[in-house]
Amino acid sequence: MPGGEKSILRFTTTGSVDDGKSTLIGRLLYETKSIYEDQYAAIQKTSERKGLADVDLALLLDGLSAEREQGITIDVAYRYFETAKRKFIIADTPGHVQYTRNMVTGASTADCAIILIDARNGVLTQSKRHGFIASLLQIPRILVAVNKMDLVDYSEDVFNGIVEEYGEFSEKLDVHDIVFIPVSALRGDNVVEKSGNMPWYDDVTLLHYLENIHVSADRNLIDFRFPVQYVIRPHLDFRGFAGKIVSGTVSPGEEVIVLPSARTTRVKRIVTYDGELPEAFCPQSVVMTLEDEVDVSRGDMIVRKNNVPVISNKFDATICWMDETPLSGDKPYILKHTTRSVKAFIDSITYKIDMNTLHREAADTFGLNEIGRVQVRTSQPVFFDNYKTNRATGSFILIDALSNNTVAAGVIRGASRSLGEIINESASTEDLRMRSPNAVWHKCNISRVEREFRNNHGAAVLWFTGYSGSGKSTIAQRLERQLFDMDCLTMLLDGDHLRHGLCGDLGFSDRDRSENIRRAGETARLFYEAGNIVLCTFISPFRRDRDFVRSIIDGSRFIEIYVQCGIDTCAQRDPHGLYQQARSGQISEFTGISSPYEEPLDPEIVVNTESEDVSGILDKILEYLYRKEIISGK
């Protein structure tokens, strides 16, 4: 970053015992001149005394190794170094199975995870466990460093075998960016400099990859979230609210809502030590003042009026249990979420994950280092987003109220909702769908499976949801053309088209919006059963309506695509001036202005038309369809 402050990359290193993690970290510190000469001289002497041919750079981390050998429960160790391009923070986590909780802690803020695999041993269970945790924590990138290549004669076949096996495993995870680099941390091959011992590998070195990761693209600059940490009132003429902007941006004059009171006001000033700002963004820490006298205290959250998080006292979460004392469903815990602390209970355990097989299994409790899905109930509402959308507002910890120990760390999957809230547990989907009197559903004469076989591709419903003007139709039209050119049977159902005929009798009340989506969903299902890839572009602002459509399509074939775009950008794109009319009151019940939009909690795909171009978005969607084997021939 010439002429400016260097960016910071946080990454975690993990691997099985003796995979060479300490040596790799030592190599990075040494090659970037991040250790003192006397430190290097000391480990050089120690290496010579041990009769080693090479300097053992792992000795730089010897204190940590000694703790492990003694069986002491350790915290994550953080290492720091920098290059001419950027600064780095390494979360050095233990590789032992019993330290799973430490890996969760170290990886929770990482932009990248380095998983080391010993080329001699290949892919181990622990290697898969670490990949699963990285996927669970939505770490954007995984770098698999196949280490100790010098001990397998720098064999390309060995490397390719590991790439194939781990690549096949990673397809089961929610991981979209994974790279493999063959290295020898001991000898420095492909760590900082390209290795002459592996001429068959012509890609980047490990450090080059780390230096060129685009971190800023991972930040959520759409959803403004400002948890209030402290109220500042130095004198009667100033009352400000201090905190860190965990996502999004904000400017003076913007209309905001204070949660949980739901009081509406505007931002008056944004104050920092260096003066006032015309705009602030994550992850800046600032003091905001508001135009109106609103009761705000620590734990409250300030958000944009038309972009609010989920407000609920029940949610689904995946947790890692970190305490020697097992989880108790009858015991109250303290839930710490952003700056808010509330009493919480574990209402139920949905399942526990076997960390060896990654299979789900029934459980009554969680022990130390066990991971699984639970339902959490809090004494007061909390304001959260799905962790996949917003890591800052989608994560939490549980604290034992008596010992004050942190007993669990968790990521929020979404607001808890029993299946009975969507469909009655004693009824089938067919029983609950609207139908005319005495009408009987007949199975299709030609099955969807037969049609898929003839079409040479699977059927699916791609449901594009987002604000008007977010780009849903543009993306869907371009995607349909590509699929059509690939000989796929497609059908595009556009919201405006259906309102010219099938739904022409409906208005825009909440009831009519739901009926509009019900009809669209039923139509999509018919085309789906005919073997088509159905592309549906509807604002569909309410989750319950989108959930209904999901319930009538085979689960894995309903693909919810959340097209993110800020409301102001959508308004600028609007060729018909609808947003302007809505803001002036000429159009009522307009989504995002006078009618709410409920963001998807766990969509299959999230795209952002402000930060991604259409070609990249199309590639992302097509990659998903290939991965799910809906289309083939890549």
Side-chain angles (χ1 to χ4, degrees), residues 334-542:
I334 301 300
L335 182 139
K336 179 76 167 60
H337 174 260
T338 62
T339 58
R340 192 169 179 82
S341 297
V342 296
K343 185 185 293 185
F345 294 85
I346 304 298
D347 258 5
S348 63
I349 297 175
T350 309
Y351 56 77
K352 181 172 66 175
I353 299 170
D354 185 323
M355 294 305 292
N356 293 314
T357 64
L358 302 187
H359 292 160
R360 301 174 181 181
E361 53 187 40
D364 298 321
T365 186
F366 288 169
L368 180 64
N369 291 315
E370 291 188 322
I371 294 176
R373 186 163 178 172
V374 299
Q375 284 196 348
V376 180
R377 173 171 51 88
T378 58
S379 59
Q380 301 174 35
V382 290
F383 328 118
F384 60 85
D385 300 283
N386 180 285
Y387 182 81
K388 183 182 291 187
T389 303
N390 195 325
R391 292 170 74 177
T393 58
S395 57
F396 64 93
I397 60 172
L398 292 176
I399 300 170
D400 186 296
L402 296 178
S403 67
N404 208 35
N405 290 335
T406 298
V407 297
V411 297
I412 299 174
R413 304 287 296 268
S416 292
R417 204 160 33 107
S418 67
L419 191 58
E421 290 176 301
I422 304 174
I423 55 175
N424 189 300
E425 292 179 352
S426 63
S428 69
T429 303
E430 290 295 339
D431 292 331
L432 287 157
R433 293 164 66 203
M434 295 177 64
R435 63 187 179 197
S436 300
N438 305 317
V440 178
W441 179 266
H442 296 281
K443 289 186 177 179
C444 296
N445 184 44
I446 302 171
S447 72
R448 173 170 49 81
V449 175
E450 291 179 272
R451 296 176 188 274
E452 288 178 326
F453 182 78
R454 172 173 287 187
N455 297 343
N456 199 32
H457 66 77
V461 173
L462 279 56
W463 192 273
F464 295 81
T465 177
Y467 287 126
S468 174
S470 60
K472 301 183 299 299
S473 296
T474 300
I475 296 168
Q477 289 167 7
R478 289 272 299 274
L479 179 62
E480 186 189 29
R481 169 52 64 181
Q482 282 195 237
L483 291 171
F484 182 79
D485 290 342
M486 295 163 60
D487 295 329
C488 295
L489 262 64
T490 64
M491 185 63 207
L492 176 60
L493 300 179
D494 184 82
D496 285 344
H497 292 170
L498 265 64
R499 282 188 175 272
H500 274 77
L502 179 64
C503 302
D505 59 320
L506 300 176
F508 290 91
S509 66
D510 290 358
R511 185 185 183 91
D512 281 359
R513 287 180 187 274
S514 295
E515 174 60 14
N516 180 55
I517 298 306
R518 187 193 70 79
R519 295 182 191 180
E522 295 286 3
T523 305
R525 187 191 184 215
L526 293 174
F527 281 108
Y528 165 74
E529 292 295 345
N532 290 265
I533 297 177
V534 191
L535 299 88
C536 304
T537 60
F538 297 89
I539 296 173
S540 47
F542 303 128

Side-chain angles (χ1 to χ4, degrees), residues 289-317:
T289 66
L290 304 177
E291 288 188 355
D292 303 297
E293 286 290 334
V294 181
D295 183 18
V296 183
S297 58
R298 176 180 172 84
D300 291 356
M301 186 180 290
I302 301 175
V303 301
R304 262 196 199 90
K305 181 179 179 181
N306 296 313
N307 183 346
V308 299
V310 180
I311 304 171
S312 178
N313 69 338
K314 290 187 71 176
F315 56 82
D316 290 329

